[in-house]
Amino acid sequence: MSQLQPAFGLAKRSATTGFVPAAKAETPVAKMIDVSKCIGCKACQVACMEWNDLRQDIEENVGVYENPHDLTPNAWTLMRFSEWENPERGQLEWLIRKDGCMHCQDPGCLKACPAPGAIVQYTNGIVDFISANCIGCGYCVKGCPFNIPRISTADNKAYKCTLCSDRVAVGQGPACAKACPTKAITFGTKDDMKKLAAERVADLKDRGYSKAGLYDPPGVQGTHVMYVLHHLDKAPLYAGLPQNPRISPLVELWKGAGKYAGLALLGITAAFGVVHHLLAGANRVTEEDEENAEKLRGGGT
Amino acid sequence: MTGHKDGEAHLQVSRYSGSARINHWVVAISFVLLMISGLALFHPSLYWMTGLFGGGPTARWIHPWLGIVLLIGFLGLFVRFFVANLPERTDWVWLARLRHVLAGREEYLPEVGKYNAGQKFVFWAQAFLVLVMFVTGIGLWPAGLAYFEQLLGFKATIDQRRLAAVIHAGAAVLTIAIWIIHVYAAIWVRGTISAMTRGTVTGGWAWRHHRKWLRKEIGKEPGGPHPAE
Ligand code: HEM
Ligand code: SF4
Ligand code: SF4
């Protein structure tokens, strides 16, 4: 179960017409994941299971490092391992990305969700799924540009990383950040994390990674989980991280113009019926019609 | 079959058998429930309608199952009625004179068989849209999609699932609009509803709206008088 953190004010609430955001905005927070420092030990995955009390079923070893095979309702973060031969440097690079919810400033999941309050965004930027309001429709799966939410077949609720909103609410950092032995994962205000990232990027550039940079994609107005990448220009190398993520135009159509066009068409059709009946009156069978039918049958009985 | 029942002033013509009417009402009821549970998720201002099903999760859960009921029910109607809904030359004349149709001036229209061109349009459009909504509805349905993916050995991409959502919502709007016209026509043309409640219409109704069909029905009676062509 994923619960609302009353300690935070709301910036956005799914499927709520006339929603008024909290007046007092908190300082935006962020988690910064330095992919260049990650050693793929999965301590973060274990910490996430521990803190959130999640147990993924044991799977079969199919000869890859990913375990489990994908994000699941019980695995909210997953280390994804990619091998790449860098032609410039002539070396094999092992690119290990901690996958999970990016906590988009403009969350596609929230835009798609039809259930009032099933997805919220706090004023600090964290996007949370509220199980009590979730109806399990899976619209968030279609809304997300990062393919993150998963629907549980046990309770028909959507699950994903909460950015440990329950820990943040009491002044703690996320469990994964606490467990990371190399400090590849850090947590703080978004401004601080950007500063720290800038230092790391400068260091990587020094060491010859000329395209190193911070992944904070503007297409979703930035994210509250950011990556330092050695190859910012080649994001898809990192297990298919989208280069320029944005809410799909199909989702924008479905959730935007489509709604108004649809409601308008239904309203016009119903109005046509009312107006037509007022103008034309009922189409009644006359006594003459009945007599004609009797005649046709042969004079009636 | 035509004739008078006790106490009825007008000639009664049989239009639908008992099983055809049950079939129609299965489709009608599942359609209305689908419309309510679907529209509840279509726009936040309509979400309260999930309360009619006992809450959001139940409305979400029951919708696709009702869709399967509708699909099977509609298949029954399709098999029963598709021959009578095949287009014919006079349909174009009827459509060209839609102005007179809307004004209720039957005398300017060609004689109509069991169904007029408007009814045929409703039949074919709904047949097509139900099929579209079934396929896209499966794409929208996490549990159903997983089942069909396993069964048919494919994996739908997220973009395909997004497209399914757009098409499903669009088709739903069209099908509901056509349903509004269908229901309105049944109300506007007085004497129609008994076809689906009791299975009969009056001779005058048939004479006025479906004369070619009335001639055929009367002609079918064994030993009965043959209508003058
Ligand atoms: C024929 C089989 C059908 C299937 C399998 C199906 C399935 C689905 C599914 C899985 C959803 C997602 C939400 C949910 O699970 O409730 C949905 C949404 C919806 N359905 Fe259906 N459906 C069918 C027919 C219909 C029909 C006949 C209508 C209209 C009368 C309809 C109207 C809608 C609407 C309006 C939505 C919401 C779309 C949105 O959120 O934009 N569906 N359908
Ligand atoms: S499944 Fe996703 S989109 Fe549907 S109600 Fe739950 S959180 Fe909202
Ligand atoms: S990554 Fe996906 S699930 Fe997470 S906030 Fe963005 S859209 Fe929502």
Side-chain angles (χ1 to χ4, degrees), chain A residues 100-104 106-110 127 129 143-149 160:
Chain A
C101 176
M102 300 296 287
H103 295 269
C104 310
D106 183 18
C109 56
L110 189 148
V127 177
F129 284 11
C144 174
F146 294 96
N147 186 12
I148 299 300
K160 69 159 191 72

Side-chain angles (χ1 to χ4, degrees), chain A residues 60-290:
Chain A
E60 219 161 284
N61 185 340
V62 295
V64 298
Y65 282 100
E66 276 91 358
N67 176 20
H69 67 290
D70 193 9
L71 294 171
T72 75
N74 290 316
W76 297 350
T77 188
L78 175 67
M79 307 314 295
R80 294 191 187 272
F81 297 78
S82 310
E83 288 166 18
W84 184 56
E85 275 184 62
N86 186 331
E88 277 166 38
R89 298 167 70 100
Q91 68 185 18
L92 180 78
E93 293 182 7
W94 210 16
L95 308 175
I96 309 166
R97 177 168 69 89
K98 178 185 183 297
D99 196 9
C101 176
M102 300 296 287
H103 295 269
C104 310
Q105 180 60 28
D106 183 18
C109 56
L110 189 148
K111 177 158 228 162
C113 178
I119 304 181
V120 298
Q121 184 174 45
Y122 306 119
T123 54
N124 62 10
I126 296 178
V127 177
D128 233 353
F129 284 11
I130 311 305
S131 302
N133 296 333
C134 172
I135 63 172
C137 62
Y139 284 14
C140 47
V141 177
K142 289 133 204 135
C144 174
F146 294 96
N147 186 12
I148 299 300
R150 296 291 184 269
I151 312 294
S152 163
T153 48
D155 65 1
N156 292 303
K157 305 281 180 193
Y159 290 103
K160 69 159 191 72
C161 156
T162 65
L163 208 66
C164 282
S165 54
D166 51 348
R167 292 173 59 91
V168 176
V170 293
Q172 294 280 315
C176 56
K178 187 143 189 167
C180 179
T182 63
K183 290 210 161 49
I185 309 173
T186 42
F187 179 82
T189 69
K190 182 150 178 175
D191 284 344
D192 285 351
M193 290 304 104
K194 277 178 157 173
K195 272 184 218 137
L196 185 59
E199 287 171 26
R200 288 296 306 147
V201 168
D203 183 43
L204 285 167
K205 285 193 169 157
D206 250 16
R207 288 163 46 202
Y209 292 98
S210 60
K211 296 288 165 45
L214 180 66
Y215 186 85
D216 180 21
V220 291
Q221 296 175 15
T223 51
H224 294 268
V225 170
M226 306 182 291
Y227 293 116
V228 168
L229 303 178
H230 348 49
H231 313 289
L232 182 62
D233 59 327
K234 296 190 184 69
L237 282 182
Y238 299 85
L241 184 67
Q243 188 72 48
N244 292 307
R246 51 175 290 204
I247 299 179
S248 159
L250 285 170
V251 173
E252 302 276 9
L253 173 67
W254 174 32
K255 289 285 154 176
K259 300 277 117 140
Y260 300 102
L263 291 177
L265 182 68
L266 293 183
I268 290 168
T269 313
F272 163 81
V274 172
V275 171
H276 178 261
H277 207 284
L278 287 174
L279 293 181
N283 184 335
R284 280 182 219 282
V285 177
T286 62
E287 210 39 53
E288 198 188 333
D289 291 328
E290 299 292 358

